């Protein structure tokens, strides 16, 4: 053991026992971490190639204001996203306020009254229920006469091809496929599985638009969904592709027509992509995108480290310690509210910002139980930064993600374990 390192951990409140347990787990993960590093290396090269091919220059970092006509930085960044993710065109804007907004924009601009939307992978992310109108909501797709159908995954997580075929009809215009499990318990879809699903659907109806909600998935694998037949991918810049530096934003990349429709909806018919000042944030979009492959690799290592630590201690972890990864989210079901709270306190205590704050469960709007959240982020709500949250109800599961660096993620997880140990919720001596 490295004495010098151990002392530094001790200065942050990590006991020798917890540190050594962590080292043992980390040692067992060498091969997996090497594979993650190789993916990051590949994706780093992909980003640099896209930046070079599109002649990113110092002028791209100039600020535009007002209408933002001829904003070289904005237009070039959109080309970089399109090249890197293999789309014909892209919309990458600070005016897209979050992931939900980006998804709503993609849906509302590409669907027309009388069209039908299909989700062949079960219930979409919570906030989309109101966008679609599954839960009645002002301005939903349902209010505009767009209907919705859903086919759930089979109990073993596979696609229900038979019912998907039955659900596709003459009105089916757009299919939405969520890559990440989000905060549900289904498995996350690999890019390869998304490809299989898309080719099946296009085999039945070739002109249907296949959109992938790519949130939390960018740069986890070498390929992105446009490379396996998706028409449009959509995501948030305060998750993976913003690399922790973008302070706001969302993207849509894909077929020219799909992106064009979104642009006319974001600004105005007739204006489209031509307007939209970048107000000085564009440099952080470039730098964040440049760093994103490494940042995502750190978050992935953190997720796998947490899975292995808590699995070893006998808790239920999803995904489990050895499964392949297709997004950066890790769930741990504690079946004990005190353990859930202790975990979140540890994450908070490891943060560079607001580390002295104690997170407490509270009644958040839209939830049917109290929720505890831990985050000490540079960008409010950024979930590419180390963060954890969980509803205070059985199975008392925490959803944990992010970490701008692997070392911070590691500290957060060790700190969570330290809290559990101090409250006698785990016993490291038994191992
Ligand atoms: C985070 C997320 C969203 C919504 O993004 P927000 O930025 O929180 O609005 C949608 N879908 C998935 C799968 C997500 O992970």
């Amino acid at each position: 053991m490295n004495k010098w390192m151990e002392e530094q951990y001790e200065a942050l409140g990590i006991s020798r026992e917890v540190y050594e347990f962590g080292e043992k787990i980390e040692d067992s993960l060498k091969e997996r971490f090497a594979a993650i590093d190789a993916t990051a290396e590949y994706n780093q090269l992909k980003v640099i190639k896209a930046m070079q091919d599109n002649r990113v220059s110092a002028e791209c970092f100039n600020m535009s204001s007002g209408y933002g006509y001829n904003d070289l930085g904005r237009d070039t960044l959109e080309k970089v996203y399109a090249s890197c993710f293999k789309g014909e065109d892209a919309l990458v804007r600070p005016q897209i306020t979050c992931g939900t907004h980006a998804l709503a924009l993609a849906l509302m601009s590409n669907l027309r009254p009388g069209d039908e939307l299909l989700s062949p992978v079960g219930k979409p992310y919570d906030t989309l229920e109101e966008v679609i109108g599954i839960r009645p909501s002002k301005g939903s797709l349902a209010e505009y006469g767009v209907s919705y159908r859903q086919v759930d995954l089979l109990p073993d997580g596979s696609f229900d091809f038979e019912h998907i075929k039955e659900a596709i009809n003459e009105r089916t215009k757009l299919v939405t496929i969520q890559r990440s499990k989000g905060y549900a318990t289904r498995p996350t879809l690999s890019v390869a599985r998304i490809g299989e699903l898309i080719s099946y659907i296009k085999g039945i109806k070739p002109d249907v638009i296949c959109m992938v909600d790519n949130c939390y998935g960018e740069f986890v694998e070498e390929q992105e969904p446009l490379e396996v037949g998706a028409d449009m991918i959509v995501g948030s810049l305060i998750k993976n592709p913003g690399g922790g530096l973008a302070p706001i934003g969302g993207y849509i990349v894909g077929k020219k027509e799909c992106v064009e429709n979104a642009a006319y909806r974001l600004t105005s018919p007739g204006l489209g992509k031509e307007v939209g000042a970048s107000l000085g944030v564009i440099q952080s979009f470039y730098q964040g995108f440049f760093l994103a492959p490494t940042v995502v690799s750190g978050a992935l290592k953190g997720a796998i480290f947490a899975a292995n630590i808590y699995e070893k201690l006998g808790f239920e972890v999803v995904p489990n310690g050895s499964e392949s990864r297709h997004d950066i989210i890790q769930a741990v079901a504690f079946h004990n509210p005190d353990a859930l709270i202790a975990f979140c306190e540890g994450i908070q205590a490891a943060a560079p910002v607001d580390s002295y704050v104690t997170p407490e469960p509270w009644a958040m709007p839209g939830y049917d139980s109290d929720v505890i959240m831990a985050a000490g982020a540079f960008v409010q709500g950024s979930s590419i930064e180390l963060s954890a949250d969980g509803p205070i109800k059985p199975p008392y599961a925490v959803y944990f993600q992010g970490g701008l660096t692997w070392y911070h993620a590691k500290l957060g997880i060790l700190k969570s374990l330290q809290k559990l140990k101090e409250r006698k919720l785990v016993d490291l001596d038994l191992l």
Side-chain angles (χ1 to χ4, degrees):
M1 289 294 159
N2 180 340
K3 191 77 199 126
W4 174 72
M5 186 76 82
E6 200 179 305
E7 276 170 21
Q8 195 58 49
Y9 273 106
E10 202 184 334
L12 283 155
I14 306 295
S15 66
R16 181 178 173 166
E17 206 185 2
V18 167
Y19 172 68
E20 286 179 355
F21 179 62
E23 290 309 282
K24 235 193 304 179
I25 298 287
E26 188 181 340
D27 276 345
S28 73
L29 296 171
K30 282 212 171 81
E31 261 175 52
R32 293 198 71 193
F33 281 17
I36 290 170
D37 288 337
T39 302
E41 182 175 352
Y42 181 90
N43 285 327
Q44 181 72 80
L45 299 179
K46 205 164 77 173
V47 169
I48 292 173
K49 181 82 166 75
M51 289 189 174
Q52 291 181 353
D53 287 351
N54 291 288
R55 302 176 64 87
V56 173
S57 66
E59 286 76 61
C60 291
F61 308 142
N62 291 341
M63 188 190 110
S64 70
S65 62
Y67 294 114
Y69 290 138
N70 303 312
D71 184 328
L72 177 72
R74 177 198 65 206
D75 295 347
T76 304
L77 181 71
E78 290 178 339
K79 289 182 186 152
V80 169
Y81 264 69
S83 299
C84 185
F85 290 156
K86 312 290 189 293
E88 293 171 4
D89 202 356
L91 190 65
V92 186
R93 302 281 167 130
Q95 287 83 9
I96 302 177
T97 55
C98 61
T100 304
H101 186 188
L103 289 157
L105 184 61
L107 292 170
M108 296 189 160
S109 60
N110 282 288
L111 288 160
R112 296 289 178 271
D115 288 342
E116 189 159 276
L117 168 67
L118 168 68
S119 171
V121 295
K123 191 177 85 66
Y125 196 77
D126 245 37
T127 54
L128 286 194
E129 292 188 18
E130 284 173 286
V131 171
I132 295 167
I134 300 171
R135 275 186 281 144
S137 161
K138 281 204 195 330
S140 69
L141 285 167
E143 275 198 350
Y144 284 89
V146 174
S147 57
Y148 171 71
R149 255 179 223 248
Q150 176 178 316
V151 178
D152 290 338
L153 295 172
L154 293 169
D156 67 353
S158 61
F159 301 124
D160 186 349
F161 288 114
E162 196 187 315
H163 286 106
I164 291 170
K165 188 172 189 175
E166 275 173 33
I168 296 172
N169 59 61
E170 67 294 343
R171 296 203 298 128
T172 311
K173 173 73 177 295
L174 197 152
V175 173
T176 178
I177 301 167
Q178 186 178 308
R179 177 170 173 183
S180 167
K181 67 184 167 307
Y183 303 117
T185 48
R186 70 157 169 92
T188 287
L189 303 177
S190 66
V191 172
R193 285 194 68 205
I194 290 172
E196 268 171 53
L197 179 59
I198 291 173
S199 52
Y200 179 76
I201 289 167
K202 297 242 176 190
I204 298 165
K205 191 166 187 183
D207 61 345
V208 76
I209 299 168
C210 291
M211 177 186 95
V212 175
D213 174 350
N214 210 26
C215 283
Y216 286 133
E218 300 90 351
F219 298 124
V220 171
E221 299 181 46
E222 284 84 356
Q223 274 194 315
E224 298 293 337
L226 294 175
E227 295 166 75
V228 294
D231 298 297
M232 213 179 1
I233 57 173
V234 183
S236 161
L237 298 201
I238 64 167
K239 293 180 179 170
N240 305 14
L245 297 188
I248 191 170
Y251 76 84
I252 299 170
V253 184
K255 289 266 159 65
K256 193 160 189 55
E257 197 189 336
C258 295
V259 173
E260 209 165 48
N261 280 335
Y264 286 127
R265 172 89 191 198
L266 175 65
T267 63
S268 159
L271 301 182
K273 292 181 77 179
E274 304 294 319
V275 296
S278 55
L279 299 172
V281 300
I282 212 82
Q283 184 175 355
S284 70
F285 286 16
Y286 279 101
Q287 282 181 295
F289 198 58
F290 177 75
L291 292 177
T294 321
V295 171
V296 168
S297 72
L300 269 175
K301 288 177 185 175
I304 292 170
F305 185 62
N308 281 276
I309 291 244
Y310 284 99
E311 188 169 66
K312 187 101 184 176
L313 292 167
F315 296 99
E316 179 192 343
V317 294
V318 183
N320 72 30
S322 53
E323 261 173 77
S324 70
R325 299 274 158 161
H326 310 289
D327 68 10
I328 63 168
I329 301 175
Q330 180 63 46
V332 183
F334 287 109
H335 296 280
N336 176 346
D338 296 333
L340 166 59
I341 292 167
F343 182 98
C344 289
E345 285 185 18
I347 296 297
Q348 187 77 42
V353 181
D354 292 338
S355 63
Y356 53 86
V357 169
T358 306
E360 280 182 21
W362 60 296
M364 232 182 94
Y367 287 82
D368 57 0
S369 69
D370 283 3
V371 177
I372 185 163
M373 296 191 162
F378 295 105
V379 172
Q380 190 205 96
S382 167
S383 48
I384 187 61
E385 297 189 50
L386 190 64
S387 48
D389 45 64
I392 309 290
K393 64 177 183 189
Y396 302 103
V398 73
Y399 295 89
F400 154 90
Q401 68 273 307
L404 294 186
T405 69
W406 147 239
Y407 308 113
H408 179 219
K410 176 177 172 180
L411 174 67
I413 295 150
L414 292 179
K415 196 86 187 157
S416 74
L417 181 56
Q418 185 75 37
K419 295 268 181 200
L420 267 92
K421 182 176 170 285
E422 282 165 12
R423 292 179 199 171
K424 309 213 176 332
L425 297 160
V426 291
D427 191 349
L428 300 187
D429 297 332
L430 293 179
L431 297 168

